[in-house]
Amino acid sequence: VGRPKEYIPGRVFSHPDGEEIDGEATIVSLQEAEGEEGSELAFSVELRDAPGKFLPSLAAKGSEDSVVLPKNSKAAISYQVTREEGGFVVRRTPAPVPEVHEGYSFEEVYGQVDISDIAEWCNNEAERIKREEKSRKESKRKDDPDVTDVGNDKKDDPDKKVEVTVVACDDMVMTAIRNVLSNNFAELVDIFRHYATERQVKDGEPDQVELAISLNSLAKFVRTCRLSSETCSFFEIQRVAVRPEKLLITPEEEFPLGLYEADFRLPEFFEALIRISHLKGFGLKALCDKLNKLIHTQVLPYATGDDDDPIREMIQRPAVQEALRRKKQDDRNKDDLRRFYTKRIRLERIHENPPKARSINLLEFIQCLGKSDQLDEAEPLLTRAAVKDIWLLTLSFDVSPDLVSEEDQTLEVALSEFEEILARCVLQKNKVAEDNLPQQTATFLNKFLRFNQ
């Protein structure tokens, strides 16, 4: 173990000769300095924030050595000691900032990233683990006063050491997170631009536009980078990718807009990467290591290599999306689909045994189609088997049809995925031409919602 691979917030140099004093030092303070004019400068340093005891290194895993960047001394922060009239002065020289890329400044973008809720959780969890370990040691000493080393417990000991699953997000870990993003800034900006589209600047002039990634594009990014799975659905990724307050319903809203209308400018995209890495964990304890592994093993190798899906591209055209979301201002049923979907969210289902989908599931959807008399008995129309195939095809990860029945209650879907499922059902049932898809989708949806509110 040891410090994370990207953990290089500081190194110490003397000035002006540039000789490196301590290649392993991080945050330092000057303790004492001796020497006369013209003689060699002598001083000692200490670590103010010692590296966390349980911080792992990706290199220790072995398999990531070829894709994880080595320590980059050019990105380090230098502490330089100069002799001045008042004595010796230690100055902190900030790490080089990446060049502006495609009009984006790293400092400006990173300054808008807020992961304080994750840092608070990590710090609280690390403190809880520390308290439990301290309590365990004290209890063991009381039971056996002769015990001097309570850290070498056997595996079968019922009082074995408390497992450390997370380390605190101290200044060093936060600096390492910054280094991970800055070291890959240009590549991440290019990936962002690939998935982003223009939108009007919120609270801006009508002609002011900016780039942002929509939830549909985020789903494509997640699918391409293989971020989702049966145990980590896009429904969950979408929830954790936004700040917690966006999942709350305000008095002015009927729905949690973080689930339905979130989009991601470059700062929110960076923030989403950190949040997704925290969700996935990868068996690592430090948030900087989690982010580093996500970027180097899933984002950089796969992003922008999207599979072509003509049906999905057709469904995501504005006219079809308007039909699904009922955007016409004179439509008194606007938002009925969101209302239908929201009513069927049950977050507590995840704690059932076995866990069930927190959104509408396949069985519920088939039952709703039956209630609105939109199922067919024979192929090639909209049979129960066809609905199952559509459900699995739309998910952002691959599932073998042989492992899923038409009564499945475990595979959950985000709203954007559910909208795509509905549009694919229209195509399956009516075999409509592309130009007629918006109208047929509106007709299908009206009947579906009329019987299923």
Side-chain angles (χ1 to χ4, degrees), residues 217-231:
S217 294
L218 182 67
K220 181 190 291 187
F221 170 76
V222 168
R223 186 179 293 110
T224 299
C225 294
R226 298 149 171 81
L227 297 179
S228 58
S229 64
E230 290 186 58
T231 58

Side-chain angles (χ1 to χ4, degrees), residues 283-308:
L284 301 171
K285 300 177 180 65
L287 183 57
C288 49
D289 271 350
K290 297 173 186 178
L291 176 63
N292 199 28
K293 182 163 185 178
L294 176 80
I295 289 176
H296 285 98
T297 64
Q298 293 194 258
V299 175
L300 295 183
Y302 300 116
T304 73
D306 313 311
D307 293 331
D308 292 332

